[in-house]
Amino acid sequence: MAGRPKKCLSFIGFSLICLKMVASANTAPEIPTIDQAYSKISTSITVEWATVPGATSYLLTAEDGGTVIETMVANSPGTVTGLKAATLYQITVRSVSATGRSPASLPKQAKTVLAAPILEVSSPSPDSILVQWEAVYMAIGFSVSIMRANGLGRIWKENTTNTSLTFTRLDAGTLYTIKAYAWNANGTPGDDSICNQRTSPRAPASIQVSLDGGALKASVSWAPTEGAFNYTVMALSDSSELSCSTTLSACTISSLQCGTEYLISVLASNDAGSSKSTSSEALKTVACAPGRVTIQEDPPGHLSVAWSNVDLGDYYVAFVKSDDGLEVHCNTSLTQCNFLSECGFTYFISVFAYNKAGQSPLGDVFNYTTAPCCPSDINPVLVSSDRVEIVWSPVRGAELYETKAVDGFKVVECNDTAPACTLSALECDTKYNVTVYSFSEVRGSNMSCTSRFVTTAPCSPEIKNVSKDAFSMIRVHWRSTNDDATYTVTAQGEKGLYRCSSKGESCVMGSLPCGSVFSVTAVAETQAGRSLPSFSVPLETVPCCPAGLTVTQVTQSVINVSWTVGTGAQTYVTVLESHTGQSKCLTHQNQCLLGCITCGVNYTVALKAISATGLTADCTYQSYSSSACCPLGVKLYRLSPNGIRIYWQASRGSTNYSTDLYGSKGIFTCAPRAGLSFCDVTEIPCGDVYTVMVSPVAETGLKLTFCPKKIYSVTCSGSTLGMVIYRGKRNAE
């Protein structure tokens, strides 16, 4: 398309020149004479002519009958370009000057040479180059030559009438220069076609393959090959194709698949192409991690680990690591291993396959938790009638403990995270089957735990009554439903504790102190333990008899009875009794006056101590004899100026008497011999008033002071014999 505008422009220029030449025909330069016209290039013809004086330039014209091509040149020779190859042209020359243009010269025929063949070159093998071209117009043969591009070595030249030619026995990976041209029937060569082509490289040798099984990548190395620009490593398997490229002599292929066999080949390439793979290295990767791993514990204490078979696996190793760090393994060519296990452990299990390439990648790590251990040292630390407190040592793997106590169809249970449990609301004196189950969230309850029997403490007895027999013994009766129990009754009071025991339903308690209040309880005891005490029953003993009692004669008919306080007594009844009658008094005090006492009589003395609740203690003491009766008819007779006889009438019974005379000048006493009713006092001053008292003397020697006193005046004048003047009577003080 570019040639067409060029052709049009040349035609317009020719017309202008012609007009100009007509206009100035008289001054145009001479017509040139063509010496020769020839073609060396298929697109041009070179014209030679003699120089025309005055011509400043020349117009060359080439015409093939349909196309006119003009070229303006300065001098000879000149070349017309833009021509067609192997075409006969009519060549003319015109001289041109400032005054005009000459007419065309005589034409000269010239034919363009053949066009250069358009080469297509390739290196089908490392030692050959294939040269191909299309047919060239008017060509009857071709000449092709080849040599190293660096100019070293020989030149190969071949003539052919074909449109292709193969050069063999070349050096691999070497750059060659190829030159080709066509010739016509006259043997005239056409244009040259020159190109460079490199032979393809040879396949690399000494291929070394090293597998990194853990990373699943292969390092491939080889000996460099001549003329290779680049290398490509291919890893081919039945299901995948991997490659890596490099300009060096080593390359790493990543992302290999486990359990796969690859063929490793290395291709060298340059701008001519790639080498042909002549050999390949077989590569087996590590086996894949075994799948479908199953873990079973049957029976307890034995772990069975099984897995599926894998490709390229020569043998297997199963690792079992417990959570305390201990690890065991088994090596087998089978697909199952058995291990011993312990309760309460979590085992981490992994299985690897092995072959010559190494260990398979890590697959899934499985964990298996065995059932928690069973408590073995169940110890009831507290057993009562309605509850049992149980403790045990913590066991491995237990997150929770479930305690059950079974009695027939009745079940009592408690759940706790602590290694202790209190079972409550139990029946007393009952045998329970107690089991402590350990529980974990992963494995649940360990139902293989053994049980033990625990019997609750006996039931509390019920006191029915407390009785007192004729011998002041306390008998306690109770009711109970326990089997083979020993009962202990306790009476507790301020005076201390008192007990009695029995395997029956009653026991007798003696020697309880008087005047005391007790709380009576009963407790049952078996090998299982002690019951709670029964409800208490109050017990009050009779008041204590006063330890000491004193009878004092106040008057001849009145006595005073006093006593020490009797513990527990609030009221006292005192009774003096004789053949003559009875005298009694009731008092809250610890003394009492009793009248109507007959002198000189033996009395029995009795005292009753009565508590606030009416319990009575009968207290007996030694008999008491009332004092002798006071004498009657006491008279004084003067015996001498300074002597006095005191005379009286003795009371019934034999009694000793004592006589006392009280005066301002002294006290004078006399005591008669036994059986006499008088006594004499000598050397008594006269002229004084005397108080006279004759008193019976008790067996103890105590002189009674309640008898009447009489006052006598003893004068110094008158007869020395006779009565003393009676002055009056004085009450006993």
Side-chain angles (χ1 to χ4, degrees):
M1 291 188 61
R4 205 178 255 183
K6 235 172 167 185
K7 184 193 277 184
C8 179
L9 184 58
S10 298
F11 179 75
I12 295 172
F14 177 77
S15 301
L16 292 175
I17 293 173
C18 291
L19 291 175
K20 190 173 181 181
M21 289 176 64
V22 171
S24 57
N26 294 330
T27 59
E30 295 180 3
I31 299 172
T33 299
I34 297 175
D35 294 332
Q36 62 175 342
Y38 53 90
S39 174
K40 291 185 177 182
I41 299 175
S42 61
T43 59
S44 66
I45 293 177
T46 299
V47 183
E48 295 181 3
W49 65 90
T51 302
V52 175
T56 58
S57 60
Y58 300 90
L59 179 64
L60 304 182
T61 302
E63 185 176 359
D64 64 354
T67 303
V68 176
I69 296 176
E70 292 181 342
T71 300
M72 187 71 72
V73 298
N75 49 36
S76 176
T79 301
V80 181
T81 60
L83 305 181
K84 294 183 290 187
T87 303
L88 183 63
Y89 284 92
Q90 191 82 6
I91 304 299
T92 59
V93 179
R94 290 183 176 86
S95 57
V96 180
S97 66
T99 59
R101 177 184 301 175
S102 72
S105 67
L106 294 175
K108 190 94 172 171
Q109 287 186 342
K111 193 175 187 179
T112 55
V113 299
L114 301 181
I118 300 174
L119 301 181
E120 292 182 7
V121 293
S122 62
S123 177
S125 66
D127 63 347
S128 65
I129 290 178
L130 172 63
V131 184
Q132 294 177 299
W133 58 89
E134 294 181 357
V136 176
Y137 178 64
M138 297 299 291
I140 63 169
F142 302 91
S143 180
V144 183
S145 61
I146 187 170
M147 66 177 296
R148 283 177 175 267
N150 58 10
L152 300 178
R154 55 170 291 190
I155 299 176
W156 289 273
K157 183 175 182 180
E158 297 287 342
N159 294 324
T160 181
T161 58
N162 297 324
T163 57
S164 65
L165 185 63
T166 299
F167 292 94
T168 60
R169 291 182 295 176
L170 303 179
D171 294 329
T174 303
L175 182 63
Y176 285 90
T177 299
I178 298 95
K179 177 179 178 182
Y181 61 88
W183 67 82
N184 56 19
N186 296 326
T188 304
D191 291 341
D192 291 333
S193 180
I194 299 174
C195 66
N196 290 331
Q197 175 63 43
R198 193 183 305 274
T199 51
S200 60
R202 295 188 184 277
S206 301
I207 298 175
Q208 300 290 329
V209 181
S210 175
L211 175 66
D212 183 352
L216 280 176
K217 60 183 180 180
S219 296
V220 184
S221 63
W222 55 89
T225 186
E226 181 70 27
F229 295 171
N230 193 39
Y231 299 94
T232 300
V233 180
M234 303 293 294
L236 302 179
S237 69
D238 293 339
S239 60
S240 64
E241 178 179 328
L242 301 174
S243 64
C244 68
S245 296
T246 181
T247 59
L248 306 176
S249 59
C251 187
T252 298
I253 297 181
S254 303
S255 303
L256 297 175
Q257 295 179 351
C258 59
T260 304
E261 185 172 1
Y262 289 92
L263 290 178
I264 306 297
S265 59
V266 182
L267 300 180
S269 61
N270 56 20
D271 52 0
S274 299
S275 64
K276 303 298 181 182
S277 178
T278 57
S279 63
S280 58
E281 295 290 328
L283 173 66
K284 290 183 179 180
T285 61
V286 295
C288 294
R292 297 198 297 274
V293 177
T294 59
I295 305 166
Q296 291 182 333
E297 185 184 16
D298 186 21
H302 295 79
L303 279 183
S304 175
V305 181
W307 55 87
S308 61
N309 202 0
V310 296
D311 293 337
L312 301 184
D314 295 338
Y315 64 96
Y316 304 91
V317 178
F319 293 89
V320 175
K321 185 175 184 179
S322 58
D323 50 13
D324 65 351
L326 181 64
E327 183 177 68
V328 295
H329 69 277
C330 96
N331 189 324
T332 180
S333 59
L334 304 177
T335 58
Q336 181 175 337
C337 273
N338 296 313
F339 299 90
L340 293 178
S341 62
E342 295 183 42
C343 58
F345 275 111
T346 295
Y347 293 94
F348 300 93
I349 300 165
S350 55
V351 182
F352 295 90
Y354 288 82
N355 58 20
K356 292 181 179 180
Q359 175 184 287
S360 67
L362 176 64
D364 294 331
V365 177
F366 298 88
N367 63 72
Y368 184 89
T369 301
T370 55
C373 297
C374 290
S376 59
D377 57 346
I378 299 174
N379 182 28
V381 295
L382 174 64
V383 177
S384 68
S385 300
D386 62 346
R387 64 191 177 95
V388 173
E389 183 178 342
I390 301 174
V391 297
W392 56 88
S393 299
V395 296
R396 195 171 51 240
E399 299 171 357
L400 182 73
Y401 300 96
E402 181 182 27
T403 306
K404 288 186 178 181
V406 180
D407 170 30
F409 296 103
K410 183 178 180 181
V411 178
V412 178
E413 62 181 274
C414 72
N415 297 331
D416 205 328
T417 56
C421 176
T422 299
L423 296 165
S424 56
L426 303 178
E427 299 291 337
C428 57
D429 195 40
T430 303
K431 189 175 185 180
Y432 286 91
N433 189 359
V434 178
T435 309
V436 179
Y437 300 99
S438 52
F439 175 87
S440 68
E441 185 176 355
V442 175
R443 195 56 55 198
S445 294
N446 188 343
M447 303 306 294
S448 64
C449 299
T450 58
S451 60
R452 65 166 296 174
F453 287 99
V454 177
T455 302
T456 54
C459 303
S460 298
E462 177 187 355
I463 297 178
K464 297 194 294 186
N465 62 68
V466 180
S467 61
K468 178 181 179 183
D469 61 14
F471 300 99
S472 298
M473 304 298 286
I474 303 299
R475 182 174 291 276
V476 182
H477 299 264
W478 59 82
R479 179 187 297 112
S480 179
T481 59
N482 298 310
D483 294 331
D484 193 25
T486 299
Y487 299 89
T488 300
V489 177
T490 302
Q492 183 176 5
E494 294 181 355
K495 298 292 182 68
L497 292 174
Y498 297 85
R499 293 185 175 91
C500 66
S501 298
S502 172
K503 284 185 173 292
E505 292 190 344
S506 68
C507 71
V508 176
M509 202 182 308
S511 301
L512 268 68
C514 59
S516 299
V517 177
F518 294 90
S519 176
V520 180
T521 57
V523 174
E525 185 172 3
T526 63
Q527 290 184 349
R530 292 170 60 91
S531 71
L532 293 173
S534 65
F535 293 114
S536 64
V537 174
L539 171 63
E540 180 183 2
T541 57
V542 297
C544 295
C545 289
L549 183 140
T550 303
V551 181
T552 304
Q553 194 86 31
V554 179
T555 67
Q556 187 170 284
S557 63
V558 177
I559 64 172
N560 180 54
V561 183
S562 62
W563 54 87
T564 59
V565 176
T567 304
Q570 190 178 61
T571 305
Y572 302 93
V573 177
T574 308
V575 178
L576 268 69
E577 190 172 5
S578 71
H579 65 280
T580 61
Q582 185 186 70
S583 181
K584 181 171 64 173
C585 80
L586 176 67
T587 183
H588 287 294
Q589 300 175 351
N590 62 339
Q591 68 177 5
C592 185
L593 289 175
L594 294 173
C596 302
I597 299 300
T598 302
C599 57
V601 175
N602 286 331
Y603 284 91
T604 58
V605 180
L607 180 69
K608 290 185 178 182
I610 305 172
S611 69
T613 60
L615 291 178
T616 302
D618 293 323
C619 308
T620 58
Y621 299 92
Q622 293 180 350
S623 61
Y624 171 75
S625 296
S626 60
S627 65
C629 297
C630 291
L632 301 175
V634 176
K635 293 180 181 179
L636 272 68
Y637 296 94
R638 183 184 295 275
L639 297 179
S640 65
N642 295 320
I644 295 296
R645 174 170 286 182
I646 300 98
Y647 175 82
W648 62 86
Q649 295 179 2
S651 61
R652 60 183 180 272
S654 59
T655 305
N656 293 326
Y657 294 94
S658 176
T659 302
D660 295 307
L661 282 79
Y662 301 93
S664 62
K665 296 180 181 179
I667 300 174
F668 302 91
T669 301
C670 69
R673 293 190 300 270
L676 297 181
S677 58
F678 67 91
C679 73
D680 297 334
V681 178
T682 60
E683 301 299 328
I684 184 172
C686 61
D688 198 359
V689 177
Y690 290 94
T691 300
V692 180
M693 184 177 66
V694 179
S695 304
V697 178
E699 294 179 354
T700 61
L702 181 65
K703 190 165 49 176
L704 301 180
T705 61
F706 52 76
C707 289
K709 298 176 182 178
K710 289 186 179 182
I711 302 174
Y712 292 90
S713 174
V714 180
T715 64
C716 294
S717 62
S719 176
T720 59
L721 299 172
M723 297 181 59
V724 180
I725 300 174
Y726 175 65
R727 299 290 299 269
K729 183 178 182 182
R730 187 175 183 178
N731 292 331
E733 294 178 353

